Amino acid sequence: MCAILERAALVALAFATLTACTTAQEMRRPNGDIQYVIGCGAGTGWNVCYARANELCPSGYNTLAEDAGFNRKELRIACRAEQRRQRGPNE
């Protein structure tokens, strides 16, 4: 019985870890503006997406769209132009 509970806890932890992951894709608009699409697991709160947005744009951003689908949430943002963070080669 104890082994079953341990396994269930491990599965729950793995699921929580996977759903908390975020991805960020940079999009360049035809006019040169940069936008980001941040994808978050559907089981996570919007705060996870907002935290990633704050990492990408520490001086602020404008929310362009929020979409909560069945298996994923997406947040589309644009950093404030005069305060856009410089991205390193590993990002």
Side-chain angles (χ1 to χ4, degrees):
M1 182 70 168
C2 188
I4 293 172
L5 290 176
E6 287 177 355
R7 187 172 182 180
L10 258 161
V11 169
L13 179 62
F15 179 76
T17 301
L18 289 174
T19 57
C21 294
T22 61
T23 60
Q25 180 180 3
E26 182 180 292
M27 296 176 19
R28 291 197 181 265
R29 307 301 297 173
N31 66 356
D33 288 348
I34 297 173
Q35 297 178 358
Y36 295 95
V37 176
I38 301 169
C40 306
T44 63
W46 279 105
N47 61 321
V48 174
C49 290
Y50 298 138
R52 184 62 188 260
N54 286 322
E55 289 174 11
L56 292 168
C57 307
S59 296
Y61 60 89
N62 296 321
T63 300
L64 304 174
E66 293 179 343
D67 183 34
F70 176 72
N71 62 351
R72 165 183 167 112
K73 292 178 179 154
E74 282 189 357
L75 175 65
R76 190 163 49 101
I77 64 165
C79 295
R80 295 190 180 129
E82 69 278 0
Q83 300 168 336
R84 188 175 299 134
R85 172 173 92 83
Q86 295 296 318
R87 292 174 43 115
N90 295 329
E91 296 181 83

